[in-house]
Amino acid sequence: MQKNQSKSYFAFMVYVGVFLLTFFIGNVHEITLEIPLYNATTSVALDYDDVDEDTPMGYVLLSKMPNAEKLLQAYDAIDICMSKRQESVSLSTLGLTVTEFENVIDACISDHPEYFWIDSTSYAYTYIPGVLVIEEAFPEYIMSSSEIATAKPLVDEEVEKILDNITSDMTDYDKEKYIHDALAKSIDYVESEDDGTIYGALVLDECVCEGYARTFQYLLNLAGVEAYYVTGASADPSSDQVVGHAWNLVEIDNEYYFVDLTWA
């Protein structure tokens, strides 16, 4: 048995030619998600009919890949582990390779912004040397159980303040626009330990692109609007330097749009 630690920043790369990250851009009729960690040739194309608000995009993506049954079993086990802040989860019966495991845990983290206690960039695992089959996974956390118990009511309170202004007569566009503007007005771009979480964005009023995108995803989904967390690379408008970035894919009136809250 050997233990290793991995850092994963951008598991899902969305290739759409030139990234034009403005408030709304052109329709996305096919979503092509490339998984660099899986292998150099794997590409899974999802028509937007394949995804809906009840099925997280990462889960759907894994269901389209080789060894899907085992990947989804691992996803469910990791989901339970992270939701309960358990220290580890056994995956020894699934026979996953390291790259398969990395894709699964990255998908699970991307699908669940409500787990604000997760360190989304780092995790550890044990594997059998030689065959490199995963035995056990160790999610990493930025909060203790007691800190989560204190923080969660604060997050829920801020969520309620925003969603209380969502009314039954609002269209999905109205909901999206309201939540977008509410977050843009209240959050400052500040780096911190919680900067990639909904806790940082909603309670501390500060985060980086990851926090903006996860919070927007979370609130839109709660409001009944289909939204997904997307990562890739983009030019920083203040410097034109190409940097790692996170934003959202949002469904409005049966069409998909990229929305970038960070630079709103």
Side-chain angles (χ1 to χ4, degrees), residues 11 13 62 88 95 127 152 159 219 232-233:
M13 301 295 290
L62 293 173
S88 65
Y127 61 90
K152 195 172 187 313
V159 168
L219 291 174

Side-chain angles (χ1 to χ4, degrees), residues 179-246:
I179 292 172
H180 173 280
D181 291 352
L183 295 178
K185 291 175 183 177
S186 64
I187 301 171
D188 293 321
Y189 189 98
V190 177
E191 295 181 2
S192 70
E193 184 180 34
D194 301 294
D195 61 17
T197 72
I198 65 172
Y199 175 80
L202 294 173
V203 178
L204 304 180
D205 295 328
E206 56 186 38
C207 64
V208 296
C209 61
E210 180 183 0
Y212 280 106
R214 291 189 187 282
T215 306
F216 198 42
Q217 171 195 13
Y218 183 55
L219 291 174
L220 285 176
N221 287 339
L222 289 177
V225 179
E226 189 178 333
Y228 302 98
Y229 177 78
V230 178
T231 60
S234 176
D236 185 331
S238 65
S239 65
D240 289 330
Q241 179 182 2
V242 176
V243 295
H245 192 51

Side-chain angles (χ1 to χ4, degrees), residues 8 78-87 105-106 108-123 138-144 148 192-199 210 214:
S8 174
I78 292 170
D79 183 12
I80 292 171
C81 174
M82 294 193 303
S83 69
K84 297 182 178 180
R85 204 202 174 283
Q86 296 171 344
E87 295 300 321
I105 193 169
D106 288 335
C108 195
I109 290 172
S110 294
D111 284 344
H112 293 285
E114 68 271 23
Y115 303 157
F116 56 83
W117 47 88
I118 291 287
D119 183 342
S120 63
T121 66
S122 183
Y123 44 78
F138 302 84
E140 297 199 5
Y141 303 101
I142 59 175
M143 286 187 178
S144 66
I148 294 170
S192 70
E193 184 180 34
D194 301 294
D195 61 17
T197 72
I198 65 172
Y199 175 80
E210 180 183 0
R214 291 189 187 282

